[in-house]
Amino acid sequence: MRADDHDEIVRLYGPWRDRGPSDVADLLADYPGVWWIAGGWAIEAFSGVRRPHGDIDPSIPRADVPLLRRHLAGWLDVWAADQGALRPLTGDPDEPISATCGNLWLRPGGAQPWEYDVILMTADDATWTYKRDARVSLPTADILWRTGGLTYLRPEVQLLHKAPGLRPKDQDDFDVCLPLLEERARHWLRGALDLAHPGHPWGERL
């Protein structure tokens, strides 16, 4: 099973509740840490073009997992999604998670749909580092932008994360964003692809 096959994930692990950016804002209204919205919703916010969504992807620095767990305690259960396996995080919030865990799935309880897929990124106050190639990095402030009162992952950074999969929806997202990307963003994405994913077909179009 491909880890990004949404239909297969639903078949195996259960459905996802329909959530949007305003729901994330409500969820994290009093959260003391840094967060932003990634995934397809970040692409839609940038492009203005509506697209289907299987879930919504809030994102936080992976070092802030204990902070998020404390915020959600007694409200939503937190599960570690790690290379195709799911494990409930029920112990000490400060207990380290696996270095290969890239997502946290949230839901109120086992009989209810999943609600949020939290993407963990390697970032601190100063620097974000691409999870697939540490040679690719940016100042953390430069990977984010705001619109409508919410913070989103910049499109060129989101497209870099989508590049290895090259699913039809990833290609669609690239196609809709490409004419809207500023030259600086195109240049950065082209360089990041050349470094982390040499020969990627998007490089020729950037």
Side-chain angles (χ1 to χ4, degrees):
M1 179 191 71
R2 285 170 54 118
D4 53 19
D5 186 335
H6 180 74
D7 291 341
E8 184 67 0
I9 287 172
V10 168
R11 187 185 73 81
L12 290 172
Y13 300 115
W16 288 81
R17 192 180 301 279
D18 186 17
R19 292 292 194 184
S22 63
D23 297 308
V24 178
D26 290 341
L27 177 74
L28 300 176
D30 299 320
Y31 175 62
V34 177
W35 62 273
W36 55 89
I37 295 173
W41 283 102
I43 296 293
E44 182 172 310
F46 173 74
S47 69
V49 177
R50 296 289 299 273
R51 68 189 292 289
H53 300 281
D55 58 20
I56 188 163
D57 303 300
S59 183
I60 64 169
R62 64 182 303 112
D64 287 352
V65 169
L67 195 64
L68 181 66
R69 290 184 61 191
R70 289 189 174 90
H71 176 72
L72 298 173
W75 186 6
L76 293 175
D77 293 336
V78 181
W79 291 64
D82 187 354
Q83 298 182 317
L86 280 171
R87 178 175 68 89
L89 300 180
T90 57
D92 182 350
D94 290 317
E95 177 185 355
I97 61 170
S98 165
T100 57
C101 175
N103 303 69
L104 303 177
W105 290 11
L106 313 181
R107 64 181 175 182
Q112 295 168 285
W114 302 100
E115 300 216 1
Y116 302 95
D117 179 4
V118 181
I119 297 175
L120 306 180
M121 292 197 181
T122 303
D124 57 26
D125 291 342
T127 305
W128 161 86
T129 303
Y130 182 41
K131 66 180 181 179
R132 295 185 176 96
D133 193 321
R135 296 173 297 172
V136 178
S137 65
L138 281 171
T140 299
D142 290 353
I143 72 168
L144 305 174
W145 73 293
R146 287 183 63 81
T147 184
L150 297 174
T151 302
Y152 293 86
L153 190 65
R154 287 196 57 82
E156 63 270 25
V157 180
Q158 184 59 66
L159 289 171
L160 176 64
H161 284 87
K162 285 174 162 287
L166 266 185
R167 300 164 297 183
K169 66 179 180 180
D170 299 327
Q171 185 64 52
D172 290 343
D173 287 340
F174 176 78
D175 291 340
V176 78
C177 287
L178 180 60
L180 304 175
L181 289 175
E182 297 176 352
E183 180 56 36
R184 183 176 67 172
R186 288 180 179 229
H187 177 78
W188 179 85
L189 180 54
R190 182 168 58 246
L193 288 172
D194 287 346
L195 194 61
H197 306 293
H200 196 283
W202 290 353
E204 297 180 356
R205 296 182 57 192
L206 289 162

